[in-house]
Amino acid sequence: AQSVTQPDIHITVSEGASLELRCNYSYGATPYLFWYVQSPGQGLQLLLKYFSGDTLVQGIKGFEAEFKRSQSSFNLRKPSVHWSDAAEYFCAVGPGGYNKLIFGAGTRLAVHP
Amino acid sequence: DVKVTQSSRYLVKRTGEKVFLECVQDMDHENMFWYRQDPGLGLRLIYFSYDVKMKEKGDIPEGYSVSREKKERFSLILESASTNQTSMYLCASSPGGDNQPQHFGDGTRLSIL
């Protein structure tokens, strides 16, 4: 069965520090992978997506993610975190037909000044 | 930019009431989705629709129904609201075809008393 695991429920980093959020997936074929961010009180915003090709993908707000097929992972990174990055981050895998997605449980990021 | 609008940000209803949550998208998207979001569980798909009057059950359809009479509008209906349906509800849409990300509304926080 398809699934997505985000091992870290909460992560706290200092402003200016680097960030890596983990995502592992289980999928029978080549997956389509997404990272979304949810700021408090808002819906989900697409950060980046991977379908094929270069395994390092760039997204908005200075984020990047690397697809590693051998590890079934799609980790999200940012070299220097800003206070405004505090939010919840969701990894998702598809396709499930009609662009359905399976979401992980999310990682809540806190940023200390 | 795609705009997905959910009619209410906050809603309080009583047990046993019939509740309607409305979602409208302005980009002529074929696919529309309803999720509920609960802490630690991520997003779970309730129902989705791939065309007008066409719908399919998601992972947790019990206690819910949907309606899509026009392409731009997708309604979620709680037939007889119960306290365990207190949650954040998110609507999303995506174009037809493969590799298309979903675009989300800001969510409706529903409380059933």
Side-chain angles (χ1 to χ4, degrees):
Chain A
Q2 302 166 18
S3 65
V4 177
T5 302
Q6 295 180 246
D8 305 304
I9 298 173
H10 295 279
I11 284 183
T12 301
V13 299
S14 299
E15 191 168 17
S18 63
L19 172 69
E20 182 169 29
L21 302 183
R22 295 183 291 165
C23 173
N24 294 99
Y25 66 89
S26 172
Y27 192 78
T30 301
Y32 301 152
L33 294 157
F34 303 83
W35 274 100
Y36 284 86
V37 60
Q38 185 181 35
S39 298
Q42 296 188 8
L44 276 67
Q45 180 184 18
L46 179 68
L47 281 176
L48 48 77
K49 58 189 178 185
Y50 171 79
F51 296 140
S52 64
D54 192 346
T55 56
L56 184 64
V57 294
Q58 303 297 321
I60 62 171
K61 305 186 180 190
F63 285 92
E64 66 178 26
E66 186 171 13
F67 170 60
K68 293 186 177 180
R69 184 187 301 274
S70 61
Q71 299 177 18
S72 297
S73 69
F74 188 56
N75 294 349
L76 182 71
R77 301 194 293 247
K78 187 170 185 178
S80 178
V81 171
H82 188 262
W83 63 266
S84 60
D85 293 324
E88 189 156 22
Y89 292 80
F90 292 93
C91 181
V93 66
Y98 304 108
N99 295 312
K100 284 192 296 180
L101 297 176
I102 296 173
F103 286 85
T107 297
R108 185 168 296 278
L109 173 67
V111 180
H112 280 180
Chain B
D1 270 358
V2 178
K3 184 70 174 177
V4 178
T5 303
Q6 295 185 230
S7 54
S8 304
R9 293 297 301 273
Y10 300 94
L11 206 53
V12 180
K13 296 291 182 181
R14 296 204 174 274
T15 303
E17 280 192 68
K18 191 169 186 176
V19 180
F20 294 85
L21 303 184
E22 306 289 345
C23 175
V24 176
Q25 50 93 3
D26 66 355
M27 285 301 291
D28 202 38
H29 284 172
E30 279 76 10
N31 305 316
M32 297 188 74
F33 308 83
W34 274 108
Y35 296 90
R36 66 177 282 174
Q37 181 182 11
D38 300 289
L41 297 178
L43 277 70
R44 292 180 292 168
L45 182 64
I46 304 171
Y47 267 96
F48 73 99
S49 168
Y50 51 91
D51 202 349
V52 175
K53 298 189 185 294
M54 305 305 289
K55 60 188 180 186
E56 285 198 16
K57 295 178 180 179
D59 300 318
I60 52 164
E62 296 77 19
Y64 303 94
S65 63
V66 291
S67 173
R68 194 171 181 196
E69 297 297 318
K70 293 184 178 182
K71 191 174 185 179
E72 67 271 18
R73 185 180 297 271
F74 192 35
S75 303
L76 179 69
I77 304 157
L78 284 67
E79 298 290 345
S80 177
S82 64
T83 55
N84 63 11
Q85 293 178 308
T86 291
S87 187
M88 169 72 89
Y89 290 87
L90 291 167
C91 176
S93 71
S94 77
D98 293 333
N99 309 342
Q100 302 296 331
Q102 294 181 17
H103 302 265
F104 284 81
D106 284 339
T108 296
R109 186 164 293 282
L110 175 65
S111 296
I112 307 296
L113 305 179

